[in-house]
Amino acid sequence: MKKVVLTLSVLLVMFIVGCSQQNNEANGDEAGAEEKQTITLGVTPWTSTVPPTEIAQIILEDMGYNVEQTQADAGSTYIGLSRGDIDVFMDGWFPVHDVYIEKYSDTIEETAVSYPEADSGLVVPTYMEDVNSIEDLKGIEADLGNELYGIEEGASITEEIDGLIESYELDMTQVNSSEGGMIAQAMRKMESEDPVVFYGWRPHTMFNKFDIKVLEDPKGVFETASVKVITNNEIQETAPDAYEFLSNWSISIDDVEEMIVKIEEEEIPKEEVAQEWIDNNQDKVEEMLGE
C-alpha cells in the first residue's frame, strides 16, 4: 500500500512539474511573440510600389519582424511616416517628393536609392505623329477635349502638372483619378485612335502594353526621377538590423518593370513574384543584409 501511495505521489509531483514547465514555456512563447516588433510599410496606389514592397516584406519577415501594409496616397503616406504610423515607404520619387522631405525633415529621411533613373512626363500615342513636344499641344487643346489625364489628387505630381499647364499656357484642365482610372481613360481614347495626353512614368506596364511616346519638355518641368526608400527616423534605433537592410537596398528598374508585367499582365500573385526575385538574387539579398 505504501508503494502505491509513493508511486502516486511521484506521479503527482511529475505532473505538477510538467504543467509548470509547459506554462513557463507558453508564457515564454507569448512574451517572445509580444516582443516581436511590427514594421509598417506604406503602399501608394501605384504599380511601381508593389514589387519592392513585397520583396521588403518577405525579407523583413524572414528577419523575425511582423510586417503590415498601409494603403494610402502619397501625401497621406508621408504624413504617416512623419507621425510614426508608417515606418517605411519603398517608392519615394525625387525630386517630385522633395516637398515632403523638406516638410517632415525632423522625422523622416531618405535611406537608400532603389534605382536612379526613372523617366516620367506627358505621353501620347505614337499615332499622334505631329506631337513630339509639350509645346506641340498648344493649339490642339480642343481636339483633346481640353483635358489632360493625371493620377490621384493627393500625389505631388498633380501640382507639378498644373504648373506645367500654366507654364506652357495650355487651355487644358487636368482630370485626376487613380492610376487605373487614368489608364482606362487613355485606353478608351486609344482604342478609337482619338488624340489623348496623359501622365506616364517608368517603371510601368503602359510602355509594354501601348505604343506611346514621352513628349519632350523644353521648359524642364519634368526631371528624371530617382526612386528612394524613405524611413521614419525612429526605425534606426528600434530596428537597427532592419534599418541596415533598408539602407543597403537597391533594385534595377528593369527588374521592377518585369515584375509589374508578371503581376499585372500574367496575373501571377505578387507574393510569388517577389519570392522568385529573392530566390534568383540571393547574392544581392545577402549583400543588402550585410552578410
Side-chain angles (χ1 to χ4, degrees):
M1 182 69 178
K2 290 181 180 179
K3 290 183 178 179
V4 173
V5 172
L6 180 61
T7 299
L8 290 173
S9 297
V10 170
L11 290 174
L12 179 60
V13 170
M14 290 175 66
F15 175 77
I16 293 171
V17 170
C19 289
S20 177
Q21 288 177 337
Q22 288 180 348
N23 287 335
N24 288 338
E25 289 174 2
N27 291 334
D29 290 342
E30 288 176 5
E34 290 174 359
E35 291 172 2
K36 188 182 288 185
Q37 183 177 338
T38 297
I39 293 178
T40 303
L41 304 176
V43 185
T44 47
W46 313 328
T47 53
S48 62
T49 309
V50 175
T53 302
E54 292 299 322
I55 292 170
Q57 173 159 350
I58 292 172
I59 293 174
L60 288 168
E61 287 176 340
D62 287 344
M63 294 171 70
Y65 291 97
N66 290 314
V67 180
E68 296 178 351
Q69 294 187 14
T70 295
Q71 307 283 332
D73 62 32
S76 298
T77 295
Y78 279 96
I79 291 173
L81 282 163
S82 70
R83 293 176 177 173
D85 300 326
I86 294 174
D87 300 299
V88 185
F89 178 40
M90 300 297 295
D91 203 27
W93 286 67
F94 294 86
V96 173
H97 288 178
D98 279 343
V99 61
Y100 298 123
I101 293 295
E102 293 168 3
K103 186 174 183 178
Y104 305 118
S105 59
D106 292 341
T107 52
I108 67 176
E109 68 171 47
E110 302 168 42
T111 304
V113 177
S114 287
Y115 41 93
E117 296 184 353
D119 291 328
S120 66
L122 298 187
V123 300
V124 299
T126 55
Y127 58 73
M128 293 176 65
E129 297 177 0
D130 296 331
V131 180
N132 298 295
S133 166
I134 297 175
E135 291 180 332
D136 295 332
L137 298 174
K138 186 73 175 174
I140 65 165
E141 296 96 329
D143 295 335
L144 293 157
N146 300 98
E147 293 181 337
L148 184 162
Y149 298 117
I151 56 175
E152 71 274 4
E153 292 185 5
S156 57
I157 191 62
T158 60
E159 295 182 13
E160 297 283 337
I161 293 174
D162 283 338
L164 176 147
I165 291 172
E166 183 177 346
S167 177
Y168 281 93
E169 299 180 344
L170 299 175
D171 183 19
M172 302 185 76
T173 300
Q174 181 178 187
V175 178
N176 297 105
S177 63
S178 66
E179 176 186 331
M182 179 191 72
I183 296 297
Q185 288 272 29
M187 282 181 62
R188 281 192 285 270
K189 296 282 188 178
M190 289 188 286
E191 284 173 358
S192 55
E193 294 200 358
D194 291 329
V196 62
V197 58
F198 57 103
Y199 177 58
W201 66 92
R202 286 195 66 200
H204 199 284
T205 57
M206 67 176 76
F207 289 96
N208 300 83
K209 292 171 62 176
F210 310 125
D211 195 6
I212 57 179
K213 57 187 176 183
V214 179
L215 297 180
E216 295 175 7
D217 177 18
K219 294 182 182 292
V221 176
F222 291 107
E223 299 179 54
T224 298
S226 179
V227 178
K228 301 180 182 181
V229 176
I230 311 300
T231 61
N232 177 281
N233 289 346
E234 294 179 359
I235 196 172
Q236 188 171 0
E237 295 181 5
T238 59
D241 56 343
Y243 178 81
E244 180 182 7
F245 154 59
L246 293 166
S247 64
N248 292 328
W249 170 270
S250 70
I251 192 170
S252 75
I253 190 171
D254 292 331
D255 283 359
V256 174
E257 206 154 61
E258 181 179 334
M259 285 186 279
I260 293 172
V261 170
K262 289 180 179 180
I263 295 168
E264 296 294 314
E265 301 300 310
E266 300 175 23
E267 298 184 349
I268 301 174
K270 57 188 179 181
E271 298 84 0
E272 291 183 22
V273 173
Q275 186 63 60
E276 181 184 25
W277 187 91
I278 292 171
D279 293 341
N280 293 336
N281 292 274
Q282 275 300 300
D283 291 347
K284 190 169 187 62
V285 172
E286 290 173 5
E287 182 181 339
M288 291 191 290
L289 290 171
E291 297 177 353

